[in-house]
Amino acid sequence: MVRYAEPGTVEWVESGGGPLVAVPETVLPFWTGADGEETASDYDRACEVDGHVGLLPVGDATALVLGDEPASTAFLPDHGTFVRWCAGDSEDELLARVPAALHSAEWEPEVRWDVPGAVLLFDAAWPGADSPHTDHVRVVLEPGRYTVRAAQVRPGPETWLGLVQLRRLAHR
């Protein structure tokens, strides 16, 4: 985990150049990363996601792929949002602009994600079984169905960030 500010403030995950993936802990052993033996590994499938987010089946659950570019990414639980650092002079400046960015974002169409509980965010190239020993962030989510929406926002002249917001749907 990369830390740009005071320890414990925000934990950022970086990839080696490909997408990041949020895999439910219950199915981590089923994510093969780039080591898949089939014609298309899980990493290859993640790289084929077109756009800022996509869903891929893993075991009996679904992983959320954060596509587009390999930006440093953190999860801000107060906003239910993955923040992707595309450009900005400092972490403090970037994080200070998140509330305004969430308000002004032009969101892409939503996807629905069924989540069995906590997920690990890590480089899609790594096998899920190895992810706890790599650069990762554990995101605690209540089990249930979420809407996921994404946007690219430039809340300042030198600040550009990606947003992937999770919103839990109410039980019916």
Side-chain angles (χ1 to χ4, degrees):
M1 288 165 274
V2 177
R3 298 184 200 281
Y4 294 103
E6 294 296 319
T9 305
V10 176
E11 296 176 4
W12 296 87
V13 174
E14 295 183 350
S15 81
L20 295 173
V21 63
V23 178
E25 286 181 328
T26 58
V27 295
L28 276 175
F30 298 103
W31 182 264
T32 61
D35 295 340
E37 295 179 18
E38 299 176 17
T39 55
S41 68
D42 286 339
Y43 176 74
D44 292 331
R45 293 187 311 136
C47 289
E48 290 175 3
V49 165
D50 188 28
H52 297 104
V53 295
L55 299 173
L56 293 176
V58 180
D60 63 356
T62 307
L64 175 68
V65 177
L66 305 184
D68 190 41
E69 64 178 70
S72 295
T73 303
F75 185 74
L76 304 181
D78 292 347
H79 299 289
T81 303
F82 290 103
V83 175
R84 311 200 72 202
W85 186 338
C86 302
D89 291 332
S90 72
E91 180 183 53
D92 289 340
E93 176 187 341
L94 184 96
L95 294 175
R97 294 191 183 267
V98 168
L102 287 166
H103 180 71
S104 67
E106 293 183 23
W107 300 100
E108 296 175 358
E110 297 177 341
V111 297
R112 302 233 172 167
W113 186 29
D114 291 317
V115 180
V119 300
L120 253 60
L121 178 72
F122 57 95
D123 186 330
W126 288 101
D130 294 343
S131 62
H133 309 292
T134 67
D135 187 18
H136 73 279
V137 167
R138 184 175 189 265
V139 178
V140 176
L141 297 174
E142 290 289 323
R145 178 168 271 200
Y146 289 77
T147 60
V148 181
R149 61 185 188 168
Q152 291 287 323
V153 184
R154 293 185 185 215
E158 302 295 324
T159 306
W160 174 30
L161 51 102
L163 302 171
V164 177
Q165 188 175 53
L166 311 177
R167 295 179 300 159
R168 190 163 188 265
L169 295 172
H171 292 298
R172 291 188 188 225

